[in-house]
Every structure is written in C-alpha cells, then in structure tokens.
Amino acid sequence: LAGDNVLAVRVFQPATGAGILPDTGVDRGKFQANRLMLKGEWLAKAEFDFPAMIDDAKKEYQPRPPVPLRPQSTACYLYNGMIHPVLGYGIRGVIWYQGESNWNRGYQYRTAFRLLINDWRAKWGRGDFPFYYCQIANNIGRQPRPGNDWHSEVREAQTMALSLPNTGQAILIDIGEEGNIHPANKMEVGERLSRIALANTYGKKTTFSGPVYQSIAVEGDKIRVKFKVTTSASPGDGLVAHPIPPTYKPISTEPKELPNVRNAPEGELEGFAICGEDKKWTWATAKIEDDTVLVWNPAIAKPIAIRYAWGCNPLCNLYNTAGLLAGPFRSDSFPLISEKLRYGLPGK
C-alpha cells in the first residue's frame, strides 16, 4: 500500500532459541520476503517465553523432518526436466555455465564433466557438435597465502576437458564477485564465449583465448614459463601485465570497496606462487620477458614448481594483447586435496 506500512513477523521456535539471521557474512541476504530484501533495523520483542524443556519432553518432541536435497543436488533432476525433453530437436552447439556445486570434487569432475559432454553428444546423435563452456568465476574471499585450493582443482578439471574435440573454455576469474556466486557481468561472459564460437565454429580470424600454459624451465634460482600459441591468425598473443586497480568491489551492485593488497609488489605480475623441494608455497615475483614469464623468490634457491592464479578468488593480471586473461595453471603434479572425495563434505 502507498505510504508507511507495518510488517509483523512471528518467529516460532519452541525447542531452541529464536531469531533472524543477520545481514552479514555467509548469512548475508537470508532475511527476505520472496525476492524483497528485508534489510535495516527491526523492533523485536519476546511474545512468549517458553520454559526450558526437560530431557523427557525433548525426547517426545517431534523432530524436524529431514530437508530434501535441492533440485540441483538431486541426481538426474535437472537433466530429466530441462535436457531430456529437447533431445531430438536441431542443435548447433552448447554453451555451458556450471561447476560451483562441484567446488570440493575437482578430481571427480575430471571424469564427470567429460562424461556429460560425451553423453549429450551421444544422445543427440549429431557427432561432436561444439561444446563451449565457462570456467567457474572467482568468488568468496581472497587467499592470503598460496597453497591448495578446492576451486582451482575444479577449474583444472574443466581445462582438462579441452582434450575432447570441438570444445572451448571461457576464463572468468577476473569478472566474478567475492560476495556473489552469480556475478552480474554476464555481457562479458557472452562476449568471451562468442569469441570462441566465431573463431572455431564460424571461421572468423579472431583471438579467442588468453595465454595458455605450456611448460617451465628451471634457470638457477628462477623458473621460466612458456605459453602456447592460441590465436586464429589474428594478433593478440603478446603477453601483457594489466594494471591492478587500488580497490575492488566485493559485490558489483553495492558501493563498498576493498583494497587490492599486492602479494608481490616488486614484480609486474600478481598471482604467481613458487616452491622448492620442501613443497611449501610462497608468493613469487614475476615479470614478462618477450613471450615468456620469469618467476622467482629470493628465499628459494632451488625452485621446482610454480602455480598461477591458484585460489578461489586470486589477484592476478596476466593477459594477452587481445585483452584476454590467462587461466589458472600449475607445473606440479602434487596430490590434490579432492582426490579421495566423491560426494559430501570434506571428512565425510
């Protein structure tokens, strides 16, 4: 109704303490009516104060029924509802944006994602039609120290799917949002996917990928990183260190900004980590030399491996002259933290 209105909310919780989740941290935005956010200050009072339940009463109290799995977490739910009904219709190709739900099963995703691509192609019976997909964007908080990371293992699994014919991957680790797993900038997502399709499906002469890791060479106390040529007869492979802005927005639609804290302020590139024979990762200084990147840390005399952008929300700035960024990569083959995990949370 027009004008001021009063909205009363009754919270009933007889067995434990009642309350409303705050509008901060991981519970941010949980207090809402449909899609209307109920932000701001609220008056509250205890309408009834129930006496503490004795143990016998607690045993008789009807427990809450188990919460069913969400649709996207139920096997075959989305496939049966959204993909199977359109089998048999004409198809030119697929663009795919998924992976966050597999955040802690990167090793399994190496198999699962390839099975999905092969299964869809088999179901349609139209050969290896184009399958272009998005690597999961950066999200959650910045990683203060280099090391293992669940999200990076999923991204690595997605990159491995490029071994299948007629596939392409759009890198998004520079346009995600720390406080929003569904970032707002979908225009750039579409732009990067369209580059892949224009180059590989429609034969346009355009650069469709950022720098792609090829190999390393240890040179004394430094490591030199080489990259593959990824252009389709269009200039754009030259390596570039993009300027790092002083601040960033955790959520693009809100005014709050946080400082971009440099991990390797002496170098021109951010996002590189290096380790010695002890396999302990530390941030590394890195600079571009022609078409390679030189990486080092004065504290490591005998480096053996490097990683780049290995974190859920990495600060990284290696691009090519076409304005496309390098995806996460590593030169090591150390065991993954997701290798023995299939379903459920860590330790279960």
Side-chain angles (χ1 to χ4, degrees):
L1 299 177
D4 294 336
N5 291 266
V6 176
L7 176 65
V9 179
R10 172 175 285 170
V11 180
F12 177 72
Q13 180 63 288
T16 60
I20 294 173
L21 294 174
D23 191 37
T24 58
V26 296
D27 295 320
R28 188 182 186 286
K30 294 292 182 66
F31 187 31
Q32 62 189 68
N34 195 5
R35 295 187 179 276
L36 177 64
M37 303 301 296
L38 303 178
K39 297 182 179 181
E41 296 183 359
W42 286 72
L43 296 176
K45 69 173 183 177
E47 188 175 6
F48 297 102
D49 188 9
F50 294 96
M53 296 178 70
I54 61 176
D55 291 340
D56 289 341
K58 289 181 181 180
K59 293 178 183 178
E60 296 178 1
Y61 185 78
Q62 182 66 33
R64 178 181 176 179
V67 178
L69 289 173
R70 296 176 299 170
Q72 63 267 36
S73 301
T74 303
C76 296
Y77 190 105
L78 296 179
Y79 174 82
N80 288 335
M82 302 177 70
I83 302 303
H84 189 269
V86 299
L87 292 179
Y89 284 86
I91 186 171
R92 185 66 176 91
V94 169
I95 55 173
W96 176 254
Y97 192 144
Q98 195 268 350
E100 291 88 350
S101 295
N102 301 81
W103 67 271
N104 62 343
R105 301 196 301 275
Y107 188 77
Q108 179 204 42
Y109 202 66
R110 295 181 178 188
T111 301
F113 189 39
R114 295 186 194 190
L115 286 174
L116 180 143
I117 296 173
N118 288 329
D119 181 64
W120 286 18
R121 287 172 169 174
K123 290 289 196 304
W124 254 279
R126 297 178 60 87
D128 294 331
F129 54 72
F131 198 108
Y132 303 142
Y133 56 91
C134 296
Q135 190 183 81
I136 57 173
N138 52 306
N139 59 86
I140 315 179
R142 288 275 167 82
Q143 192 170 336
R145 292 176 296 277
N148 293 321
D149 176 68
W150 300 98
H151 297 76
S152 300
E153 295 185 7
V154 174
R155 294 182 184 124
E156 182 179 64
Q158 291 174 309
T159 299
M160 288 179 169
L162 292 174
S163 63
L164 295 177
N166 218 3
T167 54
Q169 175 179 241
I171 305 296
L172 308 181
I173 56 168
D174 61 337
I175 59 173
E177 300 182 25
E178 182 174 305
N180 183 4
I181 199 170
H182 300 292
N185 188 358
K186 294 301 190 294
M187 287 293 293
E188 183 63 27
V189 174
E191 169 70 21
R192 294 179 187 181
L193 287 168
S194 69
R195 283 175 173 264
I196 301 171
L198 288 171
N200 296 333
T201 301
Y202 298 101
K204 302 296 183 180
K205 304 301 182 182
T206 184
T207 303
F208 62 91
S209 171
V212 175
Y213 167 74
Q214 183 177 45
S215 63
I216 64 167
V218 178
E219 299 178 359
D221 61 350
K222 298 178 176 64
I223 291 180
R224 188 174 300 277
V225 187
K226 296 182 180 180
F227 298 87
K228 301 175 184 177
V229 175
T230 58
T231 186
S232 61
S234 173
D237 269 354
L239 302 182
V240 175
H242 263 210
I244 297 175
T247 61
Y248 70 97
K249 286 187 174 183
I251 301 176
S252 63
T253 55
E254 297 188 3
K256 179 182 179 181
E257 294 189 354
L258 295 176
N260 266 321
V261 179
R262 295 285 306 266
N263 297 309
E266 301 301 321
E268 60 181 349
L269 291 173
E270 281 287 344
F272 279 92
I274 194 169
C275 76
E277 294 178 350
D278 60 1
K279 299 181 181 180
K280 294 181 179 180
W281 295 100
T282 184
W283 295 118
T285 301
K287 68 176 182 178
I288 297 171
E289 287 191 353
D290 297 324
D291 58 350
T292 67
V293 171
L294 200 61
V295 185
W296 74 95
N297 183 303
I300 299 180
K302 296 180 179 181
I304 64 170
I306 57 95
R307 289 179 176 179
Y308 174 73
W310 202 262
C312 57
N313 185 15
L315 178 62
C316 51
N317 64 329
L318 177 60
Y319 288 70
N320 59 19
T321 52
L324 298 175
L325 75 160
F329 61 84
R330 62 182 181 132
S331 67
D332 65 275
S333 58
F334 302 158
L336 302 181
I337 52 177
S338 64
E339 280 194 21
K340 296 182 179 180
L341 195 62
R342 295 297 181 266
Y343 295 97
L345 295 174
K348 294 185 178 181

